Amino acid sequence: VKICFIQKEPFPYFGILSLAGYLKTQGIQSVVLIANLEDDLVQAVRETAPDLIGFSVMTPEHGWLVETSSKIKKSFPGIPLIVGGIHAILYPEAILGIPDVDYVCTGEGEYLLKELCDTLANNKNPAGISGIGHRSGDRLVVGDRALLLDSLSTHLEDREVYYLRYPALKNDELKQFIASRGCPYDCSFCFNEQIKEAYAGKGTYVRMKEPEHLLKEIKQAESVGIIKSIFFADDLFTLNKKWLRAFLPLYQKEIALPFMCTTRANLMDDEIAFMLKAAGCHTVSFGVETGCERLRNEVLNKYISDDEIIRCAAVLKKHGIRIQTSNMFCLPDETLSDAFDTVRLNVRIGTDFAFATLFMPFPGTRLTKYCIDHGYLSNDFNFNNIPRSFLHRSILNLSDKERIENLQKISYFLIRYPLLLGFGEYVIKNIKYRFIFAPLIFIGTFLRYKDERRISFFNAIKFLWRFRKSW
Ligand code: B12
Ligand code: SF4
C-alpha cells in the first residue's frame, strides 16, 4: 500500500514526519505533496499513484480542504480519501460532512493508518476500526477514539519523505523539532482545553520523547540535510525540569547546535536559563499575549501576572538569552490604550523580537464563545468565516479596530526601537490609512524571522518566498 499525504503549507509537519516514520517501519510507503508548492496538484497525485490519499489539516485550512478534496476526488474517485490532523481530531463530524471525504482520523494516526492500510490491502471493510470515522449510507459514524500513544520514542521521524519531492527543504538552515506532545494548561484562546476533552480517558496527554530518542532524530536529520540551527517548537519546551536536566547536557555534548525554544513565563527560573544557555540556546519564545493584565487573566485565562512576565524576561536576560514574545492584538474588550500597554510591557522587559498577530477566533474555544456572547462575533460564526491569515485583518466588531490593527502592523518596530514610541503613538492616533501600515508587517516579519532564528539573509528570503501563496 502506498499512501500520499497532502498538506497545504510549505514546511514539514510533525504529524506527517511521525506517521511516515512509523509506516516505514511497517513496510508502508509514504509520499508527501505540499499543495502550495505544486503547480498542478492533481497531476502530482497521478504521478505518485497512491492507494490511499491522506490530508493533514489545521482549522484555518478548512476552506482549502473542502476545495482541494473535491478536486482530488473528482480526478481519483476510486482512491479512498482520509483526513487527519488537529482539525480532524477537534471536528470529526464537520469533516465527514464534506462529501468527498471517505474517512476521518479522530486521534493520533500511527497505528490507525497502519490498520486502515492493512484493511484496504485485504479488501476488508474499515468500518470497524475504532478511531476512524466513516459514512454508512447517509449516516456519519464517528465512533470512539483510539488510545493515545504510550510512548513517543518507538520510531524516528522520516524527513526524507519531504526531501525526495522537495529537495530545497533540505537546505533550510533552521530545522524544527518537537520533544513532546500536549500542554497541561487551559488558556481560553487556545485549543488545548478542547483537545484534552477529546482525549479524556484515552491515556496520558502530556508526553515527552526519551532524551536519547530526540537526539537520534536530530542526528538522523543531520545525516540527510543541512542543519545550522534548531527550533524546538513544542507547546512548552521547558515544561519538565527533570527532562531538561537529562536532555540538555546530552544535547550540548552530542549536537551543540545553536537553538531556540518555547516556554511559559511561569516555567522559567535561574537553573533552567543556565542549562539552556550552556546547551547553546540563543532565544526563548513565550506568550505575553497582551499588556493588559485583566484581559490576560480574566478573559484569556492565562493566569500569568505582569510581574511573572517581568521576572521571566529578567532571568533570561541575566543569562544572555534573547527574548521573543507572542502578542495578540484586537482581542475582545481591548481598547487602543490596552494595545499600547502591550507594546509598553514588551519595551519594559526588553523584548528583542515581538511576534504581533491579530487574535484569530476558532469555533468552539472559550474565547470565541465569549466573543459571541459579548457581540464581538455574530451567532453564526463558523469555520468559513475564519480569516486566512492572522496578520492582516481582524474579524471582531471592535470600536477602535482600525487603529489597533495599524498598531499591530508597526509594533515590531516600536518594541525593537523604543525611541520611536512617542512618534508611533502620534501616528497611530492621527493617521488611519491602512495602506500606509499594511506593508510594514511584511518587513517586520522578515526582519524578526531572520534575526531571531539566526539565519542568513539569503535563506530568510528563500524561506519567505516559499510562503508567498500563504500570505
Ligand atoms: C508545532 C506547532 C506548530 C508549528 C508547526 C511545525 C510543524 N513542523 O508541524 C508552527 C509554529 C509552524 C505552527 C504554526 C501554526 N499553528 Co501550531 N501548533 C504546533 C503544536 C505546538 C504542535 C503540533 C504538532 O506537530 N504536534 C505533534 C504531531 C505529531 O501531532 P499532530 O499534528 O496532531 O499529528 C497527529 C494526528 O493529528 C494525526 N494526523 C496528522 N495528520 C494526519 C494525516 C492523516 C491522513 C491521518 C490519518 C492522521 C494525521 O496523526 C499525527 C501523529 O499522531 C500544536 C499544539 C498541539 N497541541 O497540537 C499547535 C497547533 C496545532 N497550532 C495551532 C495554530 C492555530 C497554528 C497557526 C494557525 C497559527 C497560530 N494562530 O498560532 C499556525 C499556522 C500553521 C500553518 N498552517 O501555517 C493550533 C491549531 C488549532 C486548529 N484547530 O487547527 C494548535 C493546536 C495550537 C493550539 N493549542 O491552539 N504550529
Ligand atoms: S500554555 Fe500555550 S499551549 Fe498551553 S493552553 Fe496556554 S496557549 Fe495553549
Side-chain angles (χ1 to χ4, degrees), residues 129-183:
I129 305 176
S130 149
I132 296 207
H134 63 282
R135 222 176 274 111
S136 168
D138 281 347
R139 243 170 16 103
L140 310 181
V141 186
V142 169
D144 200 14
R145 291 181 202 264
L147 296 179
L148 287 159
L149 299 193
D150 271 350
S151 160
L152 302 183
S153 307
T154 50
H155 58 280
L156 295 171
E157 292 177 339
D158 179 10
R159 286 188 188 244
E160 277 179 299
V161 74
Y162 282 93
Y163 301 158
L164 283 173
R165 185 152 186 107
Y166 308 104
L169 295 180
K170 245 195 235 188
N171 300 326
D172 283 344
E173 291 169 7
L174 176 118
K175 298 281 190 297
Q176 302 201 7
F177 290 86
I178 196 162
S180 62
R181 290 188 192 174
C183 161

Short mmCIF file of all heavy atoms in Angstrom, two decimals, residues 129-183:
data_model
loop_
_atom_site.label_atom_id
_atom_site.label_comp_id
_atom_site.label_asym_id
_atom_site.label_seq_id
_atom_site.Cartn_x
_atom_site.Cartn_y
_atom_site.Cartn_z
N ILE A 129 -12.84 -0.07 12.45
CA ILE A 129 -11.63 0.44 13.11
C ILE A 129 -12.02 1.59 14.05
O ILE A 129 -12.46 2.64 13.60
CB ILE A 129 -10.59 0.94 12.08
CG1 ILE A 129 -10.26 -0.15 11.07
CG2 ILE A 129 -9.33 1.42 12.79
CD1 ILE A 129 -9.31 0.29 9.97
N SER A 130 -11.83 1.33 15.34
CA SER A 130 -12.22 2.37 16.29
C SER A 130 -11.17 3.49 16.25
O SER A 130 -9.98 3.25 16.39
CB SER A 130 -12.33 1.70 17.67
OG SER A 130 -12.02 2.58 18.66
N GLY A 131 -11.65 4.71 16.02
CA GLY A 131 -10.71 5.84 15.86
C GLY A 131 -10.75 6.39 14.44
O GLY A 131 -10.22 7.45 14.17
N ILE A 132 -11.41 5.62 13.55
CA ILE A 132 -11.58 6.11 12.18
C ILE A 132 -13.07 6.25 11.88
O ILE A 132 -13.80 5.25 11.90
CB ILE A 132 -10.88 5.18 11.17
CG1 ILE A 132 -9.38 5.23 11.47
CG2 ILE A 132 -11.22 5.58 9.74
CD1 ILE A 132 -8.47 4.95 10.35
N GLY A 133 -13.51 7.47 11.65
CA GLY A 133 -14.91 7.70 11.35
C GLY A 133 -15.18 7.44 9.87
O GLY A 133 -14.29 7.58 9.04
N HIS A 134 -16.41 7.04 9.57
CA HIS A 134 -16.74 6.75 8.17
C HIS A 134 -18.22 7.09 7.93
O HIS A 134 -18.93 7.50 8.86
CB HIS A 134 -16.49 5.28 7.86
CG HIS A 134 -17.35 4.35 8.66
ND1 HIS A 134 -17.10 4.05 9.98
CD2 HIS A 134 -18.49 3.70 8.34
CE1 HIS A 134 -18.04 3.24 10.43
NE2 HIS A 134 -18.90 3.00 9.45
N ARG A 135 -18.66 6.90 6.72
CA ARG A 135 -20.05 7.16 6.38
C ARG A 135 -20.77 5.84 6.16
O ARG A 135 -20.20 4.93 5.55
CB ARG A 135 -20.10 7.99 5.10
CG ARG A 135 -21.13 9.08 5.17
CD ARG A 135 -21.13 9.97 3.96
NE ARG A 135 -20.17 11.05 4.09
CZ ARG A 135 -19.07 11.16 3.37
NH1 ARG A 135 -18.76 10.26 2.47
NH2 ARG A 135 -18.25 12.15 3.54
N SER A 136 -21.98 5.71 6.69
CA SER A 136 -22.73 4.49 6.44
C SER A 136 -24.07 4.93 5.86
O SER A 136 -24.93 5.42 6.58
CB SER A 136 -22.92 3.74 7.77
OG SER A 136 -23.84 2.72 7.63
N GLY A 137 -24.21 4.79 4.56
CA GLY A 137 -25.37 5.38 3.88
C GLY A 137 -25.33 6.89 4.07
O GLY A 137 -24.31 7.52 3.81
N ASP A 138 -26.41 7.44 4.64
CA ASP A 138 -26.45 8.89 4.90
C ASP A 138 -25.90 9.25 6.27
O ASP A 138 -25.80 10.41 6.63
CB ASP A 138 -27.90 9.39 4.81
CG ASP A 138 -28.31 9.54 3.36
OD1 ASP A 138 -27.41 9.49 2.50
OD2 ASP A 138 -29.53 9.68 3.10
N ARG A 139 -25.59 8.21 7.07
CA ARG A 139 -25.18 8.45 8.46
C ARG A 139 -23.68 8.69 8.58
O ARG A 139 -22.89 8.02 7.92
CB ARG A 139 -25.55 7.21 9.29
CG ARG A 139 -26.57 7.51 10.38
CD ARG A 139 -27.12 6.26 11.04
NE ARG A 139 -26.37 5.04 10.83
CZ ARG A 139 -25.54 4.48 11.73
NH1 ARG A 139 -25.35 5.05 12.89
NH2 ARG A 139 -24.94 3.33 11.46
N LEU A 140 -23.30 9.65 9.45
CA LEU A 140 -21.88 9.84 9.74
C LEU A 140 -21.58 9.05 11.00
O LEU A 140 -22.18 9.28 12.05
CB LEU A 140 -21.57 11.32 9.99
CG LEU A 140 -22.09 12.33 8.96
CD1 LEU A 140 -21.68 13.76 9.34
CD2 LEU A 140 -21.55 12.00 7.57
N VAL A 141 -20.63 8.12 10.92
CA VAL A 141 -20.31 7.29 12.08
C VAL A 141 -18.92 7.66 12.57
O VAL A 141 -17.91 7.33 11.94
CB VAL A 141 -20.36 5.78 11.73
CG1 VAL A 141 -20.16 4.93 12.98
CG2 VAL A 141 -21.65 5.45 11.03
N VAL A 142 -18.86 8.38 13.70
CA VAL A 142 -17.55 8.81 14.20
C VAL A 142 -17.00 7.80 15.21
O VAL A 142 -15.82 7.46 15.21
CB VAL A 142 -17.63 10.24 14.80
CG1 VAL A 142 -16.36 10.58 15.55
CG2 VAL A 142 -17.84 11.24 13.67
N GLY A 143 -17.86 7.29 16.07
CA GLY A 143 -17.45 6.24 16.99
C GLY A 143 -16.48 6.71 18.06
O GLY A 143 -16.30 7.90 18.29
N ASP A 144 -15.86 5.73 18.71
CA ASP A 144 -14.97 6.00 19.84
C ASP A 144 -13.59 6.40 19.32
O ASP A 144 -13.20 6.03 18.22
CB ASP A 144 -14.88 4.71 20.67
CG ASP A 144 -14.41 5.01 22.08
OD1 ASP A 144 -14.42 6.20 22.48
OD2 ASP A 144 -14.01 4.05 22.77
N ARG A 145 -12.84 7.14 20.16
CA ARG A 145 -11.46 7.48 19.76
C ARG A 145 -10.50 6.38 20.19
O ARG A 145 -10.77 5.65 21.14
CB ARG A 145 -11.03 8.78 20.43
CG ARG A 145 -11.79 9.97 19.87
CD ARG A 145 -11.33 11.23 20.53
NE ARG A 145 -12.35 12.25 20.39
CZ ARG A 145 -12.35 13.19 19.44
NH1 ARG A 145 -11.39 13.25 18.56
NH2 ARG A 145 -13.32 14.07 19.38
N ALA A 146 -9.37 6.33 19.49
CA ALA A 146 -8.35 5.33 19.86
C ALA A 146 -7.54 5.86 21.03
O ALA A 146 -7.58 7.05 21.35
CB ALA A 146 -7.45 5.09 18.66
N LEU A 147 -6.78 4.97 21.68
CA LEU A 147 -5.92 5.40 22.79
C LEU A 147 -4.78 6.25 22.27
O LEU A 147 -4.34 6.11 21.12
CB LEU A 147 -5.33 4.16 23.49
CG LEU A 147 -6.33 3.22 24.18
CD1 LEU A 147 -5.58 2.03 24.78
CD2 LEU A 147 -7.12 3.96 25.25
N LEU A 148 -4.28 7.14 23.14
CA LEU A 148 -3.09 7.93 22.80
C LEU A 148 -1.87 7.00 22.82
O LEU A 148 -1.86 5.98 23.53
CB LEU A 148 -2.89 9.02 23.85
CG LEU A 148 -3.89 10.19 23.78
CD1 LEU A 148 -3.95 10.94 25.10
CD2 LEU A 148 -3.50 11.13 22.65
N LEU A 149 -0.83 7.37 22.06
CA LEU A 149 0.39 6.54 22.08
C LEU A 149 0.95 6.55 23.50
O LEU A 149 1.01 7.58 24.14
CB LEU A 149 1.45 7.12 21.14
CG LEU A 149 1.17 7.25 19.65
CD1 LEU A 149 2.47 7.55 18.90
CD2 LEU A 149 0.51 6.03 19.09
N ASP A 150 1.41 5.38 23.96
CA ASP A 150 2.06 5.27 25.28
C ASP A 150 3.38 5.99 25.29
O ASP A 150 3.77 6.62 26.25
CB ASP A 150 2.42 3.79 25.53
CG ASP A 150 1.33 3.06 26.19
OD1 ASP A 150 0.39 3.72 26.61
OD2 ASP A 150 1.44 1.81 26.27
N SER A 151 4.12 5.79 24.19
CA SER A 151 5.49 6.30 24.14
C SER A 151 5.69 7.02 22.82
O SER A 151 5.16 6.61 21.79
CB SER A 151 6.45 5.09 24.21
OG SER A 151 7.72 5.47 23.72
N LEU A 152 6.47 8.11 22.87
CA LEU A 152 6.78 8.84 21.63
C LEU A 152 8.15 8.42 21.10
O LEU A 152 8.70 9.06 20.22
CB LEU A 152 6.79 10.35 21.90
CG LEU A 152 5.52 10.98 22.47
CD1 LEU A 152 5.69 12.49 22.60
CD2 LEU A 152 4.32 10.66 21.58
N SER A 153 8.70 7.38 21.69
CA SER A 153 10.09 7.01 21.35
C SER A 153 10.18 5.66 20.65
O SER A 153 11.22 4.99 20.71
CB SER A 153 10.94 7.00 22.63
OG SER A 153 10.80 8.22 23.30
N THR A 154 9.10 5.25 19.98
CA THR A 154 9.13 3.93 19.36
C THR A 154 9.63 3.97 17.92
O THR A 154 10.02 2.96 17.37
CB THR A 154 7.70 3.33 19.34
OG1 THR A 154 6.84 4.32 18.80
CG2 THR A 154 7.24 2.94 20.73
N HIS A 155 9.58 5.15 17.28
CA HIS A 155 10.01 5.24 15.89
C HIS A 155 10.59 6.61 15.62
O HIS A 155 10.26 7.57 16.34
CB HIS A 155 8.82 4.98 14.94
CG HIS A 155 7.69 5.94 15.17
ND1 HIS A 155 6.78 5.80 16.19
CD2 HIS A 155 7.34 7.07 14.52
CE1 HIS A 155 5.92 6.81 16.15
NE2 HIS A 155 6.25 7.60 15.15
N LEU A 156 11.42 6.72 14.59
CA LEU A 156 12.04 8.01 14.26
C LEU A 156 11.21 8.73 13.21
O LEU A 156 10.56 8.09 12.37
CB LEU A 156 13.45 7.77 13.69
CG LEU A 156 14.47 7.17 14.66
CD1 LEU A 156 15.74 6.79 13.91
CD2 LEU A 156 14.81 8.14 15.79
N GLU A 157 11.25 10.05 13.24
CA GLU A 157 10.60 10.83 12.18
C GLU A 157 11.27 10.52 10.85
O GLU A 157 12.45 10.19 10.82
CB GLU A 157 10.79 12.33 12.43
CG GLU A 157 10.06 12.86 13.64
CD GLU A 157 10.37 14.33 13.86
OE1 GLU A 157 11.41 14.81 13.37
OE2 GLU A 157 9.57 14.99 14.54
N ASP A 158 10.51 10.66 9.75
CA ASP A 158 11.10 10.45 8.43
C ASP A 158 11.12 11.77 7.67
O ASP A 158 10.10 12.20 7.12
CB ASP A 158 10.28 9.40 7.66
CG ASP A 158 10.84 9.17 6.27
OD1 ASP A 158 11.96 9.66 5.98
OD2 ASP A 158 10.16 8.49 5.47
N ARG A 159 12.26 12.45 7.66
CA ARG A 159 12.36 13.75 6.95
C ARG A 159 12.56 13.56 5.45
O ARG A 159 12.21 14.41 4.65
CB ARG A 159 13.49 14.58 7.53
CG ARG A 159 13.07 15.11 8.88
CD ARG A 159 13.93 16.07 9.55
NE ARG A 159 13.36 16.22 10.88
CZ ARG A 159 12.83 17.34 11.36
NH1 ARG A 159 12.87 18.44 10.67
NH2 ARG A 159 12.29 17.36 12.56
N GLU A 160 13.12 12.41 5.10
CA GLU A 160 13.41 12.20 3.66
C GLU A 160 12.15 12.19 2.82
O GLU A 160 12.18 12.50 1.64
CB GLU A 160 14.19 10.90 3.48
CG GLU A 160 15.66 11.11 3.75
CD GLU A 160 16.43 9.83 3.59
OE1 GLU A 160 16.12 8.88 4.36
OE2 GLU A 160 17.31 9.76 2.73
N VAL A 161 11.03 11.84 3.45
CA VAL A 161 9.78 11.79 2.70
C VAL A 161 9.49 13.18 2.09
O VAL A 161 8.90 13.31 1.02
CB VAL A 161 8.64 11.27 3.62
CG1 VAL A 161 8.20 12.31 4.62
CG2 VAL A 161 7.47 10.78 2.81
N TYR A 162 9.93 14.24 2.77
CA TYR A 162 9.80 15.60 2.21
C TYR A 162 10.90 15.90 1.19
O TYR A 162 10.66 16.48 0.14
CB TYR A 162 9.86 16.65 3.32
CG TYR A 162 8.56 16.76 4.08
CD1 TYR A 162 8.34 16.03 5.25
CD2 TYR A 162 7.54 17.59 3.63
CE1 TYR A 162 7.14 16.12 5.95
CE2 TYR A 162 6.33 17.68 4.32
CZ TYR A 162 6.14 16.95 5.47
OH TYR A 162 4.95 17.03 6.14
N TYR A 163 12.12 15.49 1.52
CA TYR A 163 13.26 15.89 0.68
C TYR A 163 13.23 15.23 -0.70
O TYR A 163 13.76 15.76 -1.66
CB TYR A 163 14.58 15.57 1.37
CG TYR A 163 14.76 16.24 2.72
CD1 TYR A 163 15.64 15.74 3.67
CD2 TYR A 163 14.02 17.39 3.04
CE1 TYR A 163 15.81 16.37 4.90
CE2 TYR A 163 14.18 18.00 4.27
CZ TYR A 163 15.06 17.49 5.19
OH TYR A 163 15.22 18.11 6.41
N LEU A 164 12.60 14.04 -0.77
CA LEU A 164 12.58 13.35 -2.06
C LEU A 164 11.84 14.20 -3.10
O LEU A 164 12.28 14.31 -4.23
CB LEU A 164 11.88 11.99 -1.91
CG LEU A 164 12.74 10.92 -1.27
CD1 LEU A 164 11.94 9.66 -1.00
CD2 LEU A 164 13.96 10.61 -2.15
N ARG A 165 10.74 14.83 -2.70
CA ARG A 165 10.00 15.63 -3.67
C ARG A 165 10.42 17.11 -3.65
O ARG A 165 10.31 17.80 -4.65
CB ARG A 165 8.49 15.50 -3.43
CG ARG A 165 7.72 16.21 -4.51
CD ARG A 165 6.36 15.66 -4.78
NE ARG A 165 5.78 16.34 -5.93
CZ ARG A 165 5.63 15.79 -7.13
NH1 ARG A 165 6.00 14.55 -7.34
NH2 ARG A 165 5.10 16.49 -8.12
N TYR A 166 10.85 17.56 -2.47
CA TYR A 166 11.19 18.99 -2.34
C TYR A 166 12.62 19.14 -1.80
O TYR A 166 12.81 19.47 -0.62
CB TYR A 166 10.19 19.69 -1.40
CG TYR A 166 8.76 19.45 -1.80
CD1 TYR A 166 7.95 18.56 -1.10
CD2 TYR A 166 8.23 20.09 -2.93
CE1 TYR A 166 6.65 18.30 -1.50
CE2 TYR A 166 6.93 19.84 -3.34
CZ TYR A 166 6.15 18.94 -2.63
OH TYR A 166 4.86 18.68 -3.03
N PRO A 167 13.61 18.88 -2.65
CA PRO A 167 15.00 18.89 -2.16
C PRO A 167 15.41 20.24 -1.55
O PRO A 167 16.27 20.28 -0.68
CB PRO A 167 15.83 18.59 -3.41
CG PRO A 167 14.88 18.18 -4.46
CD PRO A 167 13.49 18.55 -4.06
N ALA A 168 14.73 21.34 -1.97
CA ALA A 168 15.11 22.66 -1.43
C ALA A 168 14.90 22.72 0.09
O ALA A 168 15.60 23.46 0.79
CB ALA A 168 14.29 23.75 -2.12
N LEU A 169 13.95 21.93 0.61
CA LEU A 169 13.69 21.98 2.05
C LEU A 169 14.90 21.49 2.84
O LEU A 169 15.11 21.87 3.99
CB LEU A 169 12.48 21.10 2.42
CG LEU A 169 11.11 21.52 1.88
CD1 LEU A 169 10.05 20.54 2.33
CD2 LEU A 169 10.74 22.92 2.34
N LYS A 170 15.70 20.65 2.18
CA LYS A 170 16.91 20.12 2.81
C LYS A 170 17.86 21.23 3.22
O LYS A 170 18.61 21.11 4.17
CB LYS A 170 17.66 19.30 1.74
CG LYS A 170 17.76 17.84 2.00
CD LYS A 170 18.82 17.30 1.07
CE LYS A 170 18.25 16.18 0.26
NZ LYS A 170 19.23 15.46 -0.53
N ASN A 171 17.86 22.32 2.41
CA ASN A 171 18.86 23.37 2.61
C ASN A 171 18.42 24.47 3.58
O ASN A 171 19.16 25.41 3.79
CB ASN A 171 19.22 24.01 1.27
CG ASN A 171 19.78 22.97 0.32
OD1 ASN A 171 20.46 22.05 0.76
ND2 ASN A 171 19.46 23.09 -0.96
N ASP A 172 17.23 24.34 4.15
CA ASP A 172 16.84 25.34 5.16
C ASP A 172 17.82 25.26 6.32
O ASP A 172 18.05 24.17 6.88
CB ASP A 172 15.42 25.04 5.68
CG ASP A 172 14.36 25.48 4.69
OD1 ASP A 172 14.69 26.28 3.79
OD2 ASP A 172 13.22 25.02 4.82
N GLU A 173 18.37 26.42 6.69
CA GLU A 173 19.40 26.38 7.74
C GLU A 173 18.79 26.01 9.08
O GLU A 173 19.41 25.38 9.92
CB GLU A 173 20.07 27.76 7.84
CG GLU A 173 20.91 28.05 6.61
CD GLU A 173 21.38 29.50 6.54
OE1 GLU A 173 21.19 30.27 7.50
OE2 GLU A 173 21.97 29.86 5.50
N LEU A 174 17.53 26.44 9.29
CA LEU A 174 16.88 26.13 10.56
C LEU A 174 15.94 24.94 10.38
O LEU A 174 15.16 24.92 9.43
CB LEU A 174 16.06 27.34 11.02
CG LEU A 174 15.26 27.08 12.29
CD1 LEU A 174 15.72 28.00 13.40
CD2 LEU A 174 13.78 27.23 12.07
N LYS A 175 16.04 23.99 11.28
CA LYS A 175 15.11 22.85 11.22
C LYS A 175 14.34 22.80 12.55
O LYS A 175 14.89 23.08 13.61
CB LYS A 175 15.87 21.53 11.04
CG LYS A 175 16.67 21.43 9.73
CD LYS A 175 15.78 21.11 8.54
CE LYS A 175 16.53 20.77 7.27
NZ LYS A 175 17.37 21.79 6.68
N GLN A 176 13.06 22.44 12.43
CA GLN A 176 12.23 22.36 13.63
C GLN A 176 12.16 20.94 14.15
O GLN A 176 12.08 19.98 13.36
CB GLN A 176 10.81 22.80 13.29
CG GLN A 176 10.75 24.20 12.73
CD GLN A 176 9.37 24.82 12.89
OE1 GLN A 176 8.48 24.27 13.52
NE2 GLN A 176 9.19 25.98 12.34
N PHE A 177 12.16 20.81 15.47
CA PHE A 177 11.97 19.51 16.12
C PHE A 177 10.94 19.68 17.22
O PHE A 177 10.63 20.79 17.64
CB PHE A 177 13.29 19.01 16.72
CG PHE A 177 14.28 18.61 15.66
CD1 PHE A 177 15.13 19.57 15.10
CD2 PHE A 177 14.35 17.31 15.20
CE1 PHE A 177 16.02 19.23 14.10
CE2 PHE A 177 15.25 16.96 14.20
CZ PHE A 177 16.08 17.92 13.65
N ILE A 178 10.43 18.54 17.67
CA ILE A 178 9.45 18.60 18.75
C ILE A 178 9.81 17.51 19.76
O ILE A 178 10.15 16.39 19.39
CB ILE A 178 8.02 18.45 18.19
CG1 ILE A 178 6.97 18.88 19.19
CG2 ILE A 178 7.73 17.08 17.69
CD1 ILE A 178 5.62 19.18 18.57
N ALA A 179 9.81 17.90 21.05
CA ALA A 179 10.24 16.97 22.10
C ALA A 179 9.06 16.34 22.82
O ALA A 179 9.23 15.38 23.57
CB ALA A 179 11.10 17.72 23.11
N SER A 180 7.87 16.90 22.61
CA SER A 180 6.74 16.47 23.43
C SER A 180 5.44 16.54 22.63
O SER A 180 5.40 17.06 21.52
CB SER A 180 6.61 17.43 24.63
OG SER A 180 6.35 18.74 24.15
N ARG A 181 4.38 16.06 23.25
CA ARG A 181 3.03 16.33 22.74
C ARG A 181 2.19 16.73 23.95
O ARG A 181 2.26 16.08 24.99
CB ARG A 181 2.41 15.08 22.08
CG ARG A 181 3.07 14.71 20.77
CD ARG A 181 2.31 13.60 20.04
NE ARG A 181 3.11 13.07 18.94
CZ ARG A 181 2.77 12.03 18.20
NH1 ARG A 181 1.62 11.40 18.42
NH2 ARG A 181 3.55 11.60 17.23
N GLY A 182 1.40 17.79 23.77
CA GLY A 182 0.45 18.17 24.81
C GLY A 182 0.92 19.31 25.69
O GLY A 182 2.10 19.65 25.72
N CYS A 183 -0.05 19.89 26.41
CA CYS A 183 0.21 21.01 27.33
C CYS A 183 -0.84 20.91 28.44
O CYS A 183 -2.02 20.67 28.16
CB CYS A 183 0.07 22.32 26.58
SG CYS A 183 -0.18 23.74 27.67
#
